[in-house]
Amino acid sequence: MSTSPDNFDWAFAGAAHARRSHPGAYDLPDAGGHFGPYGGMFVPETLMHPLEELRTAYERYMADPQFLAELDADLQDYVGRPSPLYHAERWSHELGGAQIFLKREDLNHTGAHKVNNTIGQALLARRMGKTRIIAETGAGQHGVASATVAARLGLECVVYMGEVDIARQEANVYRMRLLGARVVSVTSGSRTLKDALNEAMRDWVTNIDDTFYIIGTVAGPHPYPAMVRDFQAVIGREARAQMLARSGRLPDALVACVGGGSNAIGLFYPFIGDEGVAIYGVEAAGDGLQTGRHAAPLCAGRPGVLHGNRTYLMEDNHGQIVETHSISAGLDYPGVGPEHAWLKDSGRARYDSVTDEEALRAFHHLTRTEGIIPALESSHALAYVHKLAPTMRKDQTIIVNLSGRGDKDMHTVASHDGLVL
Amino acid sequence: MSRIAARFEQLRDRGRTALIPFVTAGDPSPAVTVPLMHAMVAAGVDLIELGVPFSDPIADGPVIQRATERALAQGVSLDDVLDMVRQFRERDTETPVILMGYLNPIEVMGYETFAVAAHAAGLDGVLIVDVPPEEGHALVAMLKAQGLDLVYLLAPTSTEARIERIGEVASGFVYYVSVKGVTGAGNLDTAAVAEKVGLIKSLIRLPVGVGFGINNPETAASVARVADAVIVGSAIVSRIEALAATPERIPEVVSEFLTGLRQAIDEVDAHVA
């Protein structure tokens, strides 16, 4: 089968009808934001009407050709899309199995997939007349992506970040401040990403009239999981069209790392209806699932309710959320997007985990074989490909989401190797 | 009739506005809570709200967050909180008690297990902050089957349609959150509260309590002019925090504060009568 250039352009053009009409795509979430038993709107009453306003505005603008044209122009000229689909030939050859293609989200402006979503939400904020944006951040990537679009649109920006994360991500904190954002240190609870999210929700409930909360992942109350997914789905739409254009057929497998799960759902979503495409999500096993020091709720947690939605969580026997561990700050979160919970239960996607050590080995391996330094988050997906590719035939293909670049992780990797930069 | 409905009926007959204190169960230590509950009743409160500690209290300001952390540091669980209610009931079968908290501890205990245990402990109602009427239908059904009242929040952002919808599912009373913000917020706008409470009362029949941001007798009095119940949380919890090192003084100091609020409310009630 050959694919015409017309089809190829169509996938990038982002015409309104293309946003959600994927072959065989399912129609979740339902009107209340549920993916089967997951998702929903578990928030205090004060937020219910504002969330309804957000949902209405979001649905209106996602059907508005002018808004979509503005979004697409920004994705092309500001973010640098489409991102390449790169055939990692040398790495594929070394592993001796499937052909591996890297979806190069690391080449986006600000260095990760996060900006696809912050651009979309910030444009929506402006349309809604909001003058102030807030965001939570763990590793700082979403905070930087939020501060970046706020600077460009002239919006006030406040980023909540756990005290612990501020200490381990100094460079990103400085980047946010350079961009004009105020970074607020969160000292409650475990002082990491989940507490930053708590604090951002408290800010939002207090400043609801002028403030837009840009959530960085496919979690939170409805409509956030669906909205963030739809903004990130540009990754999968492009990858699908790029693979078809290149080989005339769909990939055999998709692999992405899963913290909250936005880069993963962005790649997976346009392929959900393609039954022949195997889908693998990779969680952070930290020191190993058996140690309890990990961030793998889908692999080792159970369903519960946190941050506005029902999903798999890491919690104790009394329902208190427990601290997580991963060498990658971006995966260090005790929950996961509710759509992943549903994809797991339905069997459409498989979720597995890799340890800090495995991720680090993959980090070094890709760097040396392909000259690409991946983010530690993305290195978890790469480590899984190390196991998966050799089990597949050489004429089969894997698309792995290289969701971010590793510049931000130099200090972490160096100190793990006993060096001080 | 539920203990909560009976209490509000009694209060209405006597022309009295309810005073409802909130304390976090197990703060600063589990032994403090039950004696404190009895002391608060002696100081003139009409119903007690007991906070269930949760690791991620998104609706709470710093004061109650810290109370939660103190309680969690002592390992206080939902089972422990229900046990405190059971102990309280050994000496007080009159004063209604409701739990205020977040869904996840209940989710983990299991809806039916919780509903049965709560009823057996002598609990009267439940306010789950992160369960709006759109969610939690299975839990609501089990709580109702056990005769527990479902107290819901209303907010400055609640539309008329939402107020009516909540009026249909709520029982006991409704809790109007007086400000856009978290618990312990300041700057309560009494005129705006009066207007919204008037709207709520025109739409639903249940008693209306007002909370968030009431921290002194003057504010309590102004809220008492328009509401059926005055709910005070952070102002009590901050006094408990200040006495964490000398917990034996907590009942006395909290009672003194509540007595002041009670008097201010009583003066309003006498004037209105």
Side-chain angles (χ1 to χ4, degrees):
Chain A
M1 182 191 122
S2 70
T3 307
S4 73
D6 282 352
N7 278 346
F8 191 61
D9 289 343
W10 172 86
F12 293 139
H17 68 273
R19 297 281 161 174
R20 290 192 173 194
S21 61
H22 311 296
Y26 65 3
D27 56 0
L28 296 178
D30 69 14
H34 302 98
F35 300 87
Y38 303 107
M41 301 176 86
F42 294 89
V43 292
E45 172 64 18
T46 311
L47 292 179
M48 288 301 287
H49 183 64
L51 284 167
E52 176 63 21
E53 287 182 326
L54 173 61
R55 187 187 63 77
T56 306
Y58 163 65
E59 287 178 354
R60 175 179 156 205
Y61 289 116
M62 287 305 268
D64 175 347
Q66 269 191 329
F67 178 82
L68 293 174
E70 190 182 1
L71 174 60
D72 287 339
D74 274 1
L75 290 175
Q76 178 182 299
D77 301 332
Y78 189 67
V79 176
R81 305 204 70 90
S83 67
L85 185 70
Y86 168 69
H87 184 192
E89 283 184 81
R90 201 161 162 251
W91 191 39
S92 304
H93 183 73
E94 274 205 19
L95 295 181
Q99 301 308 303
I100 303 158
F101 291 82
L102 305 178
K103 182 58 175 164
R104 297 291 307 275
E105 294 299 301
D106 60 317
L107 296 178
N108 291 342
H109 180 43
T110 72
H113 72 289
K114 292 290 186 189
V115 73
N116 300 328
N117 168 51
T118 59
I119 288 262
Q121 289 199 48
L123 291 177
L124 187 58
R126 190 166 70 175
R127 295 281 180 136
M128 291 176 73
K130 306 291 184 184
T131 55
R132 176 174 180 269
I133 65 174
I134 57 172
E136 84 293 338
T137 199
Q141 290 305 102
H142 174 61
V144 168
S146 297
T148 297
V149 297
R152 177 157 171 274
L153 297 180
L155 300 168
E156 183 189 349
C157 181
V158 177
V159 178
Y160 289 93
M161 190 167 183
E163 192 179 41
V164 170
D165 291 331
I166 285 181
R168 59 184 175 181
Q169 298 288 342
E170 280 176 51
N172 269 344
V173 172
Y174 185 59
R175 285 168 82 191
M176 288 184 263
R177 288 184 173 144
L178 283 176
L179 289 159
R182 188 159 66 87
V183 180
V184 178
S185 174
V186 176
T187 57
S188 56
S190 61
R191 305 171 187 211
T192 57
L193 176 57
K194 81 173 175 72
D195 309 283
L197 219 149
N198 292 340
E199 207 56 37
M201 288 184 95
R202 292 178 188 125
D203 178 313
W204 196 36
V205 86
T206 306
N207 300 291
I208 205 97
D209 295 329
D210 68 347
T211 297
F212 189 105
Y213 179 17
I214 300 187
I215 294 184
T217 192
V218 284
H222 182 58
Y224 282 100
M227 178 168 70
V228 176
R229 172 195 72 192
D230 292 347
F231 285 135
Q232 291 293 1
V234 66
I235 301 171
R237 282 199 305 274
E238 285 178 5
R240 196 171 186 283
Q242 287 166 323
M243 189 56 108
L244 283 172
R246 174 186 282 272
S247 66
R249 61 185 194 85
L250 293 172
D252 296 287
L254 308 174
V255 181
C257 65
V258 179
S262 70
N263 92 83
I265 215 80
L267 176 64
F268 298 168
Y269 182 60
F271 292 93
I272 286 174
D274 300 314
E275 283 176 18
V277 180
I279 297 177
Y280 300 95
V282 186
E283 293 193 304
D287 291 343
L289 294 186
Q290 73 288 352
T291 67
R293 282 176 48 76
H294 59 81
L298 288 168
C299 294
R302 59 181 172 179
V305 172
L306 177 70
H307 293 151
N309 67 95
R310 180 180 284 113
T311 187
Y312 280 82
L313 299 175
M314 289 183 54
E315 59 188 3
D316 68 14
N317 290 330
H318 300 294
Q320 309 298 344
I321 307 307
V322 299
E323 285 187 40
T324 53
H325 167 77
S326 169
I327 192 167
S328 139
L331 302 181
D332 211 349
Y333 178 65
V336 63
E339 192 162 10
H340 287 293
W342 171 245
L343 290 173
K344 171 191 160 76
D345 283 12
S346 70
R348 179 62 189 94
R350 269 195 58 183
Y351 293 87
D352 209 326
S353 63
V354 306
T355 63
D356 287 353
E357 289 303 321
E358 291 172 313
L360 280 162
R361 277 203 297 278
F363 170 94
H364 286 297
H365 199 107
L366 190 80
T367 302
R368 290 296 182 93
T369 51
E370 294 288 350
I372 296 171
I373 303 179
L376 284 174
E377 289 79 7
S378 320
S379 298
H380 286 72
L382 299 169
Y384 191 76
V385 170
H386 264 261
K387 302 179 193 180
L388 179 66
T391 68
M392 295 169 66
R393 296 192 316 269
K394 286 182 181 171
D395 64 343
Q396 291 186 300
T397 56
I398 300 172
I399 297 178
V400 51
N401 196 351
L402 193 64
S403 55
R405 70 176 82 123
D407 305 34
K408 70 183 174 58
D409 296 315
M410 292 298 99
H411 284 271
T412 306
V413 175
S415 78
H416 185 271
D417 292 342
L419 303 171
V420 178
L421 298 186
Chain B
M1 186 185 294
S2 76
R3 196 153 24 205
I4 296 174
R7 174 56 52 104
F8 274 103
E9 193 164 282
Q10 244 173 42
L11 291 167
R12 195 174 59 236
D13 292 347
R14 289 160 50 199
R16 179 173 151 121
T17 304
L19 174 59
I20 303 179
F22 166 97
V23 295
T24 299
D27 169 38
S29 67
V32 169
T33 304
V34 176
L36 175 60
M37 291 167 78
H38 289 302
M40 293 194 297
V41 173
V45 309
D46 302 286
L47 185 155
I48 292 172
E49 250 185 52
L50 215 45
V52 181
F54 178 52
S55 54
D56 294 83
I58 55 169
D60 288 302
V63 170
I64 293 175
Q65 286 173 46
R66 289 196 298 270
T68 293
E69 288 180 14
R70 287 191 294 273
L72 287 176
Q74 308 264 335
V76 175
S77 68
L78 181 54
D79 288 298
D80 297 330
V81 180
L82 290 175
D83 199 50
M84 291 173 196
V85 175
R86 188 189 56 72
Q87 289 176 48
F88 175 75
R89 279 279 168 260
E90 288 172 3
R91 279 181 47 208
D92 187 327
T93 56
E94 300 287 311
T95 309
V97 177
I98 72 167
L99 294 191
M100 182 168 180
Y102 297 82
L103 179 57
N104 203 49
I106 297 173
E107 184 102 352
V108 167
M109 181 182 278
Y111 294 165
E112 189 165 17
T113 307
F114 170 72
V116 170
H119 174 74
L123 189 74
D124 301 293
V126 177
L127 194 178
I128 310 167
V129 176
D130 52 355
V131 177
E134 283 81 352
E135 301 286 356
H137 305 294
L139 172 60
V140 166
M142 286 182 191
L143 293 173
K144 290 206 162 163
Q146 293 295 324
L148 288 152
D149 279 322
L150 270 295
V151 179
Y152 280 87
L153 297 174
L154 287 168
T157 53
S158 301
T159 58
E160 288 193 22
R162 291 198 61 79
I163 294 169
E164 284 175 341
R165 177 166 189 182
I166 287 167
E168 285 162 17
V169 291
S171 59
F173 69 103
V174 292
Y175 183 139
Y176 178 62
V177 174
S178 66
V179 292
K180 293 173 193 161
V182 292
T183 54
N187 305 323
L188 182 147
D189 177 346
T190 49
V193 169
E195 190 186 332
K196 193 79 176 192
V197 170
L199 174 67
I200 293 167
K201 284 176 165 272
S202 74
L203 295 170
I204 65 181
R205 286 159 176 266
L206 290 170
V208 180
V210 173
F212 281 41
I214 300 167
N215 52 20
N216 57 45
E218 295 70 39
T219 324
S222 63
V223 168
R225 287 189 185 92
V226 296
D228 301 302
V230 175
I231 306 167
V232 183
S234 295
I236 297 171
V237 174
S238 64
R239 284 168 170 79
I240 293 172
E241 178 169 48
L243 296 170
T246 52
E248 67 283 358
R249 293 193 54 221
I250 289 172
E252 166 208 332
V253 171
V254 169
S255 294
E256 192 185 317
F257 175 62
L258 288 170
T259 302
L261 298 180
R262 181 75 260 172
Q263 283 168 356
I265 295 168
D266 285 346
E267 280 167 29
V268 171
D269 290 343
H271 186 72
V272 171

